[in-house]
Amino acid sequence: MPKKMAKKTKSSLKKIWLNRLFKLSILVLITLSIIIAWYSYDLPHIRTLEEAERKPSITMVTKDGELLTTYGDLYGTTITLEKVPSYVPKSVLAIEDHRFYRHLGIDIVAFTRAIYNNLIRGRVVQGGSSITQQLAKNFLLAKKKFHYTDRSLRRKVQELLVSLWLEYHFTKDQILSIYLNRIDFGAGIYGFDAAAQRYFFKPLHEVSIFEAAILAGMLKAPTRYNPLRHPEAAIQRGAVVINKMIEYNFISKTAGETEIKIGRDRLLNRKLDIGSYRYFTDWVMDTLPSYLGYIDRDLTVVTTLNTRAQNAAKRTIQTQVNQYGDTKGFKEMALISMNTDGEVIAMVGGKDYSRSQFNRTTQALRQPGSAFKPFVYIAAFEKGFTPSDTMNDEPKSYGKWKPKNIYNQYRGNLTLEEALAYSSNTITVKLLHETGVASLIKLARRLGIHTKLARNLTLALGSGEVTLFDLTAAYGVIANKGYEIYPHGVVEIRDKNTHELLYKSATPPKRKILDESVVKDIDHLLTSAVQYGTSRRSKLKNNIPSAGKSGTSQNYRDGWFIGYAKRTKGPITGIWLGNDDNSPTKGVTGGTLPAETWKMFHDMWLPALARETPIENNEPSSENENNIPQDGPPEAEGTLDGIDQVLNLIHPEETEETITPETIEEYEEFE
């Protein structure tokens, strides 16, 4: 073939291939355009990336302005790289994306390595997303475009498109700044500054290198590496980040090792009250809709909590559980304290909020035992009985049921004052038998107890179920001179941004629940119980008079003490101890550890208030005290022998007053 023909043929082939390549490029561009258009038509406006869409933030404080906690989505101060120490962004780059400043939004090396490792392992063991991709993903999740479990092609393509858009419209420093401000730490915490304040109680510019490393390490699993809940895991993860910073020459090896050592010691030795207020603030949070209805703005809630009382409550409960829990066979205690104006000043719903958020003051239904007896006596006083009336403390059968006193201890003729002081089971049941179960149940409803109550004579011994919260509030009516109290935890609510007052607590109209003479009589009896009866271990120091009643449920499952300091505003305080699985304690009665706990709590902080509020006095006469027989342990009180068998045969649908001496005969003998 002549050279000229050969050249012409090659030139023609080249033109053909160039033409084909051009057409193919056009086709690829059209295809890509279609794909981009298809996957981007419903993308949210990227310009809203820097706008925060979040739940309203609820900040709870004391009357003195002390911060208790924050609910909802928490954002910190908006930061830029110039406003924070350089080791903060470097810690993030070290563990998340050390080639951030060298790629265009997608780290091909990390992406390829992740695919390889995941294929080898047969499961997802490594991620390859860059910081830009993470920001894109969080943006799409925040806009509710996908669920976090979504692994669809559409999500991946849209993340890629958003990542490329970010890289085109923002500088690297701007992208990293947005990331530091918007990244989700879980639990409604967004951004590094908010996380620094929540976990280290300081703004971001004050955190140490090791604290910054812990925050960066938390991004992998915020709950698992939470330094408040899991300090050891957080320390190990922080050390991983520090070592990465050393590897990429962000800090020296010496500085890194020093930070790990100092940071570990500091984190493990810091003293924190984790959850000390959370039982209270959770309860307040649940009540907020009753004040405002739907919440659509950031709020500041001023609460009734008294930090001095709360700290004393937590310290008391933890001390008692740690010291006696194992030997006495109980794992939980709870405390609630309120003033006569209804302000809840202290609440501890369990020994450790971080392990159990179940609030045993407001949620646990337990049998109150003898702590329910004062209501039997109130019902009797309303029907004309007096504290000086006498009854014989001796066993008596009601059909086949025969209640008995603890240790089978009987004292013969006792006044009603003496009967309650010594927590006589036999006299209390006799009294209820004469006054009627229906009257007692109606009284309990008036006092604010609305849980299911046994409709038979066993109710005299506390066979119904109540919450510590309701039982304490019922005693509060006595402390409040017979007037109803309205337990509450909110003083006022304001718009956090405008400071507009949305709600302010006001004293409701007083409703008389008990007559003055009845209040005087039952107060006298409860004071006697403290002075010389089963409740005398609760006596307060500094001559502060008090009144109260202990209680023990069947088989020593629950120990109670409810009482009030005899002062203008109380407080009224309830103590409970037991086990969540309803297993029995090792013989704990309400007149022992619960009464001592009640005393310990008040002795810690009440003396400082003794000079501020006048003390009332209504102690029993010395003549009565001297004439009371003292044979037997003063802490002895009735247990509910056989109550379980009785309750198993009771139908909740029965009408009031269905159990009589005749109908009780159908129940088994259980002595």
Side-chain angles (χ1 to χ4, degrees), residues 204-247:
L204 186 60
H205 67 267
E206 294 182 8
V207 299
S208 67
I209 296 177
F210 190 64
E211 289 167 343
I214 288 177
L215 292 176
M218 287 181 67
L219 298 176
K220 180 179 181 181
T223 301
R224 186 189 313 165
Y225 299 122
N226 183 331
L228 297 179
R229 307 286 188 221
H230 310 291
E232 286 287 0
I235 289 169
Q236 293 176 10
R237 181 64 176 166
V240 171
V241 176
I242 290 289
N243 288 327
K244 285 291 184 181
M245 294 176 73
I246 295 172
E247 178 182 344

mmCIF file of all heavy atoms in Angstrom, residues 204-247:
data_model
loop_
_atom_site.group_PDB
_atom_site.id
_atom_site.type_symbol
_atom_site.label_atom_id
_atom_site.label_comp_id
_atom_site.label_asym_id
_atom_site.label_seq_id
_atom_site.Cartn_x
_atom_site.Cartn_y
_atom_site.Cartn_z
ATOM 1 N N LEU A 204 -15.179 25.145 75.108
ATOM 2 C CA LEU A 204 -14.229 24.385 74.304
ATOM 3 C C LEU A 204 -12.821 24.962 74.357
ATOM 4 O O LEU A 204 -11.838 24.208 74.347
ATOM 5 C CB LEU A 204 -14.723 24.314 72.852
ATOM 6 C CG LEU A 204 -13.900 23.434 71.903
ATOM 7 C CD1 LEU A 204 -13.873 21.990 72.389
ATOM 8 C CD2 LEU A 204 -14.462 23.513 70.486
ATOM 9 N N HIS A 205 -12.703 26.283 74.437
ATOM 10 C CA HIS A 205 -11.364 26.871 74.403
ATOM 11 C C HIS A 205 -10.568 26.601 75.682
ATOM 12 O O HIS A 205 -9.380 26.904 75.747
ATOM 13 C CB HIS A 205 -11.443 28.381 74.136
ATOM 14 C CG HIS A 205 -12.078 29.163 75.242
ATOM 15 N ND1 HIS A 205 -13.427 29.455 75.263
ATOM 16 C CD2 HIS A 205 -11.551 29.717 76.361
ATOM 17 C CE1 HIS A 205 -13.702 30.160 76.344
ATOM 18 N NE2 HIS A 205 -12.572 30.333 77.026
ATOM 19 N N GLU A 206 -11.223 25.998 76.697
ATOM 20 C CA GLU A 206 -10.519 25.701 77.943
ATOM 21 C C GLU A 206 -10.159 24.223 78.109
ATOM 22 O O GLU A 206 -9.505 23.855 79.083
ATOM 23 C CB GLU A 206 -11.369 26.141 79.138
ATOM 24 C CG GLU A 206 -11.567 27.648 79.239
ATOM 25 C CD GLU A 206 -12.381 28.039 80.461
ATOM 26 O OE1 GLU A 206 -12.654 27.144 81.301
ATOM 27 O OE2 GLU A 206 -12.737 29.228 80.589
ATOM 28 N N VAL A 207 -10.563 23.364 77.187
ATOM 29 C CA VAL A 207 -10.278 21.941 77.356
ATOM 30 C C VAL A 207 -8.801 21.659 77.119
ATOM 31 O O VAL A 207 -8.119 22.377 76.372
ATOM 32 C CB VAL A 207 -11.127 21.068 76.404
ATOM 33 C CG1 VAL A 207 -12.607 21.250 76.667
ATOM 34 C CG2 VAL A 207 -10.789 21.351 74.951
ATOM 35 N N SER A 208 -8.306 20.601 77.762
ATOM 36 C CA SER A 208 -6.919 20.182 77.578
ATOM 37 C C SER A 208 -6.790 19.351 76.310
ATOM 38 O O SER A 208 -7.785 18.994 75.669
ATOM 39 C CB SER A 208 -6.465 19.355 78.782
ATOM 40 O OG SER A 208 -7.174 18.123 78.833
ATOM 41 N N ILE A 209 -5.552 19.009 75.956
ATOM 42 C CA ILE A 209 -5.331 18.166 74.779
ATOM 43 C C ILE A 209 -6.021 16.821 74.951
ATOM 44 O O ILE A 209 -6.678 16.317 74.024
ATOM 45 C CB ILE A 209 -3.819 17.966 74.533
ATOM 46 C CG1 ILE A 209 -3.148 19.306 74.198
ATOM 47 C CG2 ILE A 209 -3.583 16.965 73.400
ATOM 48 C CD1 ILE A 209 -1.637 19.207 74.022
ATOM 49 N N PHE A 210 -5.890 16.243 76.141
ATOM 50 C CA PHE A 210 -6.484 14.919 76.364
ATOM 51 C C PHE A 210 -8.008 15.004 76.354
ATOM 52 O O PHE A 210 -8.678 14.101 75.838
ATOM 53 C CB PHE A 210 -5.998 14.336 77.684
ATOM 54 C CG PHE A 210 -6.370 12.888 77.864
ATOM 55 C CD1 PHE A 210 -5.858 11.919 77.007
ATOM 56 C CD2 PHE A 210 -7.231 12.491 78.876
ATOM 57 C CE1 PHE A 210 -6.201 10.578 77.160
ATOM 58 C CE2 PHE A 210 -7.571 11.156 79.041
ATOM 59 C CZ PHE A 210 -7.055 10.201 78.178
ATOM 60 N N GLU A 211 -8.571 16.057 76.898
ATOM 61 C CA GLU A 211 -10.028 16.224 76.866
ATOM 62 C C GLU A 211 -10.520 16.410 75.432
ATOM 63 O O GLU A 211 -11.566 15.869 75.052
ATOM 64 C CB GLU A 211 -10.430 17.407 77.740
ATOM 65 C CG GLU A 211 -10.268 17.131 79.234
ATOM 66 C CD GLU A 211 -10.372 18.381 80.085
ATOM 67 O OE1 GLU A 211 -10.253 19.498 79.530
ATOM 68 O OE2 GLU A 211 -10.568 18.255 81.309
ATOM 69 N N ALA A 212 -9.755 17.151 74.632
ATOM 70 C CA ALA A 212 -10.103 17.292 73.216
ATOM 71 C C ALA A 212 -10.047 15.944 72.516
ATOM 72 O O ALA A 212 -10.892 15.622 71.666
ATOM 73 C CB ALA A 212 -9.163 18.282 72.539
ATOM 74 N N ALA A 213 -9.045 15.129 72.871
ATOM 75 C CA ALA A 213 -8.911 13.793 72.280
ATOM 76 C C ALA A 213 -10.096 12.908 72.652
ATOM 77 O O ALA A 213 -10.599 12.137 71.821
ATOM 78 C CB ALA A 213 -7.603 13.158 72.742
ATOM 79 N N ILE A 214 -10.566 13.011 73.895
ATOM 80 C CA ILE A 214 -11.731 12.224 74.317
ATOM 81 C C ILE A 214 -12.964 12.639 73.526
ATOM 82 O O ILE A 214 -13.740 11.791 73.060
ATOM 83 C CB ILE A 214 -11.969 12.380 75.830
ATOM 84 C CG1 ILE A 214 -10.881 11.632 76.607
ATOM 85 C CG2 ILE A 214 -13.349 11.855 76.223
ATOM 86 C CD1 ILE A 214 -10.992 11.774 78.110
ATOM 87 N N LEU A 215 -13.152 13.940 73.346
ATOM 88 C CA LEU A 215 -14.300 14.418 72.568
ATOM 89 C C LEU A 215 -14.231 13.913 71.132
ATOM 90 O O LEU A 215 -15.243 13.468 70.568
ATOM 91 C CB LEU A 215 -14.355 15.943 72.595
ATOM 92 C CG LEU A 215 -14.675 16.597 73.947
ATOM 93 C CD1 LEU A 215 -14.596 18.109 73.829
ATOM 94 C CD2 LEU A 215 -16.047 16.173 74.448
ATOM 95 N N ALA A 216 -13.047 13.980 70.536
ATOM 96 C CA ALA A 216 -12.893 13.481 69.167
ATOM 97 C C ALA A 216 -13.138 11.982 69.109
ATOM 98 O O ALA A 216 -13.759 11.470 68.163
ATOM 99 C CB ALA A 216 -11.493 13.821 68.648
ATOM 100 N N GLY A 217 -12.677 11.263 70.127
ATOM 101 C CA GLY A 217 -12.868 9.815 70.165
ATOM 102 C C GLY A 217 -14.309 9.411 70.354
ATOM 103 O O GLY A 217 -14.725 8.324 69.931
ATOM 104 N N MET A 218 -15.105 10.261 70.984
ATOM 105 C CA MET A 218 -16.518 9.949 71.227
ATOM 106 C C MET A 218 -17.329 9.862 69.946
ATOM 107 O O MET A 218 -18.400 9.243 69.927
ATOM 108 C CB MET A 218 -17.145 11.010 72.137
ATOM 109 C CG MET A 218 -16.725 10.954 73.586
ATOM 110 S SD MET A 218 -17.549 12.249 74.548
ATOM 111 C CE MET A 218 -19.264 11.703 74.471
ATOM 112 N N LEU A 219 -16.837 10.483 68.861
ATOM 113 C CA LEU A 219 -17.616 10.530 67.624
ATOM 114 C C LEU A 219 -17.919 9.135 67.092
ATOM 115 O O LEU A 219 -18.943 8.925 66.440
ATOM 116 C CB LEU A 219 -16.863 11.345 66.570
ATOM 117 C CG LEU A 219 -16.623 12.816 66.931
ATOM 118 C CD1 LEU A 219 -15.779 13.493 65.863
ATOM 119 C CD2 LEU A 219 -17.947 13.543 67.117
ATOM 120 N N LYS A 220 -17.072 8.176 67.384
ATOM 121 C CA LYS A 220 -17.292 6.807 66.913
ATOM 122 C C LYS A 220 -18.483 6.166 67.606
ATOM 123 O O LYS A 220 -19.285 5.464 66.969
ATOM 124 C CB LYS A 220 -16.037 5.967 67.157
ATOM 125 C CG LYS A 220 -16.169 4.524 66.704
ATOM 126 C CD LYS A 220 -14.881 3.742 66.951
ATOM 127 C CE LYS A 220 -15.007 2.300 66.477
ATOM 128 N NZ LYS A 220 -13.768 1.528 66.728
ATOM 129 N N ALA A 221 -18.621 6.392 68.916
ATOM 130 C CA ALA A 221 -19.715 5.809 69.700
ATOM 131 C C ALA A 221 -19.926 6.668 70.943
ATOM 132 O O ALA A 221 -19.339 6.403 71.993
ATOM 133 C CB ALA A 221 -19.399 4.362 70.087
ATOM 134 N N PRO A 222 -20.750 7.727 70.842
ATOM 135 C CA PRO A 222 -20.904 8.676 71.944
ATOM 136 C C PRO A 222 -21.334 8.047 73.268
ATOM 137 O O PRO A 222 -20.858 8.453 74.323
ATOM 138 C CB PRO A 222 -21.968 9.649 71.419
ATOM 139 C CG PRO A 222 -21.850 9.570 69.930
ATOM 140 C CD PRO A 222 -21.500 8.147 69.646
ATOM 141 N N THR A 223 -22.214 7.071 73.231
ATOM 142 C CA THR A 223 -22.671 6.449 74.478
ATOM 143 C C THR A 223 -21.587 5.595 75.104
ATOM 144 O O THR A 223 -21.335 5.655 76.316
ATOM 145 C CB THR A 223 -23.923 5.600 74.215
ATOM 146 O OG1 THR A 223 -24.953 6.430 73.664
ATOM 147 C CG2 THR A 223 -24.417 4.963 75.500
ATOM 148 N N ARG A 224 -20.919 4.800 74.283
ATOM 149 C CA ARG A 224 -19.889 3.886 74.794
ATOM 150 C C ARG A 224 -18.712 4.629 75.396
ATOM 151 O O ARG A 224 -18.116 4.179 76.375
ATOM 152 C CB ARG A 224 -19.398 2.973 73.666
ATOM 153 C CG ARG A 224 -18.427 1.885 74.124
ATOM 154 C CD ARG A 224 -17.820 1.186 72.916
ATOM 155 N NE ARG A 224 -18.825 0.812 71.926
ATOM 156 C CZ ARG A 224 -18.543 0.460 70.684
ATOM 157 N NH1 ARG A 224 -17.283 0.450 70.256
ATOM 158 N NH2 ARG A 224 -19.497 0.119 69.839
ATOM 159 N N TYR A 225 -18.368 5.781 74.828
ATOM 160 C CA TYR A 225 -17.184 6.512 75.290
ATOM 161 C C TYR A 225 -17.549 7.776 76.084
ATOM 162 O O TYR A 225 -16.750 8.697 76.189
ATOM 163 C CB TYR A 225 -16.307 6.875 74.095
ATOM 164 C CG TYR A 225 -15.805 5.665 73.346
ATOM 165 C CD1 TYR A 225 -16.079 5.486 71.991
ATOM 166 C CD2 TYR A 225 -15.071 4.678 73.997
ATOM 167 C CE1 TYR A 225 -15.629 4.361 71.305
ATOM 168 C CE2 TYR A 225 -14.618 3.554 73.326
ATOM 169 C CZ TYR A 225 -14.905 3.402 71.976
ATOM 170 O OH TYR A 225 -14.458 2.292 71.312
ATOM 171 N N ASN A 226 -18.756 7.788 76.641
ATOM 172 C CA ASN A 226 -19.190 8.902 77.480
ATOM 173 C C ASN A 226 -18.316 8.982 78.731
ATOM 174 O O ASN A 226 -18.317 8.061 79.552
ATOM 175 C CB ASN A 226 -20.658 8.682 77.876
ATOM 176 C CG ASN A 226 -21.230 9.808 78.697
ATOM 177 O OD1 ASN A 226 -20.519 10.489 79.433
ATOM 178 N ND2 ASN A 226 -22.529 10.001 78.588
ATOM 179 N N PRO A 227 -17.547 10.060 78.937
ATOM 180 C CA PRO A 227 -16.631 10.124 80.078
ATOM 181 C C PRO A 227 -17.338 10.228 81.426
ATOM 182 O O PRO A 227 -16.724 9.951 82.460
ATOM 183 C CB PRO A 227 -15.799 11.387 79.799
ATOM 184 C CG PRO A 227 -16.653 12.218 78.902
ATOM 185 C CD PRO A 227 -17.444 11.257 78.075
ATOM 186 N N LEU A 228 -18.613 10.607 81.437
ATOM 187 C CA LEU A 228 -19.350 10.661 82.691
ATOM 188 C C LEU A 228 -19.804 9.277 83.120
ATOM 189 O O LEU A 228 -19.759 8.944 84.304
ATOM 190 C CB LEU A 228 -20.573 11.581 82.548
ATOM 191 C CG LEU A 228 -20.289 13.053 82.242
ATOM 192 C CD1 LEU A 228 -21.599 13.813 82.104
ATOM 193 C CD2 LEU A 228 -19.425 13.672 83.322
ATOM 194 N N ARG A 229 -20.236 8.484 82.167
ATOM 195 C CA ARG A 229 -20.753 7.143 82.474
ATOM 196 C C ARG A 229 -19.676 6.066 82.408
ATOM 197 O O ARG A 229 -19.689 5.114 83.181
ATOM 198 C CB ARG A 229 -21.874 6.785 81.491
ATOM 199 C CG ARG A 229 -22.974 7.812 81.387
ATOM 200 C CD ARG A 229 -23.855 7.790 82.608
ATOM 201 N NE ARG A 229 -25.009 8.655 82.408
ATOM 202 C CZ ARG A 229 -25.495 9.455 83.334
ATOM 203 N NH1 ARG A 229 -24.913 9.508 84.516
ATOM 204 N NH2 ARG A 229 -26.551 10.205 83.094
ATOM 205 N N HIS A 230 -18.757 6.194 81.461
ATOM 206 C CA HIS A 230 -17.754 5.154 81.238
ATOM 207 C C HIS A 230 -16.361 5.783 81.142
ATOM 208 O O HIS A 230 -15.766 5.823 80.054
ATOM 209 C CB HIS A 230 -18.082 4.376 79.965
ATOM 210 C CG HIS A 230 -19.499 3.893 79.883
ATOM 211 N ND1 HIS A 230 -19.996 2.904 80.711
ATOM 212 C CD2 HIS A 230 -20.542 4.298 79.102
ATOM 213 C CE1 HIS A 230 -21.274 2.699 80.425
ATOM 214 N NE2 HIS A 230 -21.629 3.537 79.455
ATOM 215 N N PRO A 231 -15.844 6.290 82.254
ATOM 216 C CA PRO A 231 -14.565 7.008 82.201
ATOM 217 C C PRO A 231 -13.399 6.150 81.703
ATOM 218 O O PRO A 231 -12.542 6.638 80.976
ATOM 219 C CB PRO A 231 -14.357 7.459 83.649
ATOM 220 C CG PRO A 231 -15.261 6.603 84.473
ATOM 221 C CD PRO A 231 -16.418 6.278 83.615
ATOM 222 N N GLU A 232 -13.364 4.873 82.087
ATOM 223 C CA GLU A 232 -12.251 4.010 81.650
ATOM 224 C C GLU A 232 -12.264 3.841 80.139
ATOM 225 O O GLU A 232 -11.216 3.906 79.484
ATOM 226 C CB GLU A 232 -12.334 2.651 82.348
ATOM 227 C CG GLU A 232 -11.922 2.663 83.810
ATOM 228 C CD GLU A 232 -10.407 2.817 83.980
ATOM 229 O OE1 GLU A 232 -9.690 2.905 82.963
ATOM 230 O OE2 GLU A 232 -9.946 2.848 85.141
ATOM 231 N N ALA A 233 -13.443 3.591 79.579
ATOM 232 C CA ALA A 233 -13.550 3.440 78.121
ATOM 233 C C ALA A 233 -13.190 4.742 77.421
ATOM 234 O O ALA A 233 -12.524 4.739 76.375
ATOM 235 C CB ALA A 233 -14.967 3.004 77.742
ATOM 236 N N ALA A 234 -13.616 5.865 77.992
ATOM 237 C CA ALA A 234 -13.293 7.175 77.405
ATOM 238 C C ALA A 234 -11.791 7.423 77.431
ATOM 239 O O ALA A 234 -11.218 7.965 76.477
ATOM 240 C CB ALA A 234 -14.033 8.279 78.157
ATOM 241 N N ILE A 235 -11.141 7.028 78.513
ATOM 242 C CA ILE A 235 -9.685 7.204 78.637
ATOM 243 C C ILE A 235 -8.952 6.370 77.587
ATOM 244 O O ILE A 235 -8.021 6.844 76.928
ATOM 245 C CB ILE A 235 -9.224 6.830 80.053
ATOM 246 C CG1 ILE A 235 -9.692 7.899 81.061
ATOM 247 C CG2 ILE A 235 -7.709 6.679 80.124
ATOM 248 C CD1 ILE A 235 -9.518 7.500 82.498
ATOM 249 N N GLN A 236 -9.366 5.123 77.414
ATOM 250 C CA GLN A 236 -8.728 4.257 76.416
ATOM 251 C C GLN A 236 -8.908 4.824 75.007
ATOM 252 O O GLN A 236 -7.973 4.820 74.200
ATOM 253 C CB GLN A 236 -9.315 2.847 76.508
ATOM 254 C CG GLN A 236 -8.978 2.128 77.811
ATOM 255 C CD GLN A 236 -9.663 0.770 77.912
ATOM 256 O OE1 GLN A 236 -10.243 0.279 76.946
ATOM 257 N NE2 GLN A 236 -9.606 0.168 79.090
ATOM 258 N N ARG A 237 -10.106 5.310 74.724
ATOM 259 C CA ARG A 237 -10.355 5.879 73.405
ATOM 260 C C ARG A 237 -9.560 7.162 73.215
ATOM 261 O O ARG A 237 -9.015 7.420 72.130
ATOM 262 C CB ARG A 237 -11.861 6.158 73.251
ATOM 263 C CG ARG A 237 -12.264 6.740 71.896
ATOM 264 C CD ARG A 237 -11.990 5.789 70.755
ATOM 265 N NE ARG A 237 -12.457 6.332 69.491
ATOM 266 C CZ ARG A 237 -12.120 5.863 68.300
ATOM 267 N NH1 ARG A 237 -11.301 4.819 68.209
ATOM 268 N NH2 ARG A 237 -12.586 6.407 67.203
ATOM 269 N N GLY A 238 -9.489 7.992 74.256
ATOM 270 C CA GLY A 238 -8.700 9.211 74.182
ATOM 271 C C GLY A 238 -7.241 8.923 73.914
ATOM 272 O O GLY A 238 -6.572 9.658 73.163
ATOM 273 N N ALA A 239 -6.728 7.843 74.517
ATOM 274 C CA ALA A 239 -5.336 7.456 74.289
ATOM 275 C C ALA A 239 -5.105 7.055 72.835
ATOM 276 O O ALA A 239 -4.044 7.339 72.257
ATOM 277 C CB ALA A 239 -4.955 6.309 75.224
ATOM 278 N N VAL A 240 -6.097 6.403 72.224
ATOM 279 C CA VAL A 240 -5.994 6.039 70.808
ATOM 280 C C VAL A 240 -5.855 7.304 69.954
ATOM 281 O O VAL A 240 -5.027 7.374 69.034
ATOM 282 C CB VAL A 240 -7.228 5.225 70.362
ATOM 283 C CG1 VAL A 240 -7.237 5.042 68.851
ATOM 284 C CG2 VAL A 240 -7.253 3.867 71.054
ATOM 285 N N VAL A 241 -6.650 8.314 70.268
ATOM 286 C CA VAL A 241 -6.596 9.566 69.513
ATOM 287 C C VAL A 241 -5.245 10.254 69.711
ATOM 288 O O VAL A 241 -4.635 10.749 68.746
ATOM 289 C CB VAL A 241 -7.750 10.492 69.930
ATOM 290 C CG1 VAL A 241 -7.644 11.847 69.215
ATOM 291 C CG2 VAL A 241 -9.098 9.844 69.627
ATOM 292 N N ILE A 242 -4.768 10.289 70.945
ATOM 293 C CA ILE A 242 -3.466 10.903 71.224
ATOM 294 C C ILE A 242 -2.363 10.216 70.427
ATOM 295 O O ILE A 242 -1.484 10.871 69.838
ATOM 296 C CB ILE A 242 -3.146 10.846 72.730
ATOM 297 C CG1 ILE A 242 -4.064 11.792 73.511
ATOM 298 C CG2 ILE A 242 -1.689 11.198 72.995
ATOM 299 C CD1 ILE A 242 -3.790 13.255 73.314
ATOM 300 N N ASN A 243 -2.385 8.902 70.386
ATOM 301 C CA ASN A 243 -1.364 8.156 69.635
ATOM 302 C C ASN A 243 -1.444 8.450 68.137
ATOM 303 O O ASN A 243 -0.410 8.487 67.450
ATOM 304 C CB ASN A 243 -1.507 6.654 69.899
ATOM 305 C CG ASN A 243 -1.059 6.271 71.299
ATOM 306 O OD1 ASN A 243 -0.130 6.879 71.854
ATOM 307 N ND2 ASN A 243 -1.696 5.269 71.889
ATOM 308 N N LYS A 244 -2.645 8.671 67.629
ATOM 309 C CA LYS A 244 -2.792 9.062 66.231
ATOM 310 C C LYS A 244 -2.220 10.460 65.999
ATOM 311 O O LYS A 244 -1.588 10.730 64.966
ATOM 312 C CB LYS A 244 -4.270 9.026 65.825
ATOM 313 C CG LYS A 244 -4.828 7.625 65.608
ATOM 314 C CD LYS A 244 -4.230 6.986 64.367
ATOM 315 C CE LYS A 244 -4.847 5.640 64.070
ATOM 316 N NZ LYS A 244 -4.233 4.996 62.866
ATOM 317 N N MET A 245 -2.437 11.344 66.946
ATOM 318 C CA MET A 245 -1.880 12.697 66.835
ATOM 319 C C MET A 245 -0.351 12.653 66.838
ATOM 320 O O MET A 245 0.311 13.407 66.118
ATOM 321 C CB MET A 245 -2.378 13.571 67.994
ATOM 322 C CG MET A 245 -3.884 13.831 67.962
ATOM 323 S SD MET A 245 -4.477 14.768 69.390
ATOM 324 C CE MET A 245 -3.828 16.411 68.993
ATOM 325 N N ILE A 246 0.222 11.740 67.635
ATOM 326 C CA ILE A 246 1.677 11.557 67.640
ATOM 327 C C ILE A 246 2.137 11.007 66.297
ATOM 328 O O ILE A 246 3.130 11.464 65.713
ATOM 329 C CB ILE A 246 2.093 10.609 68.787
ATOM 330 C CG1 ILE A 246 1.790 11.252 70.152
ATOM 331 C CG2 ILE A 246 3.572 10.248 68.684
ATOM 332 C CD1 ILE A 246 1.991 10.304 71.324
ATOM 333 N N GLU A 247 1.406 10.024 65.772
ATOM 334 C CA GLU A 247 1.764 9.383 64.500
ATOM 335 C C GLU A 247 1.801 10.395 63.356
ATOM 336 O O GLU A 247 2.679 10.313 62.482
ATOM 337 C CB GLU A 247 0.752 8.279 64.191
ATOM 338 C CG GLU A 247 0.996 7.565 62.871
ATOM 339 C CD GLU A 247 -0.059 6.509 62.578
ATOM 340 O OE1 GLU A 247 -0.800 6.117 63.525
ATOM 341 O OE2 GLU A 247 -0.152 6.073 61.406
#
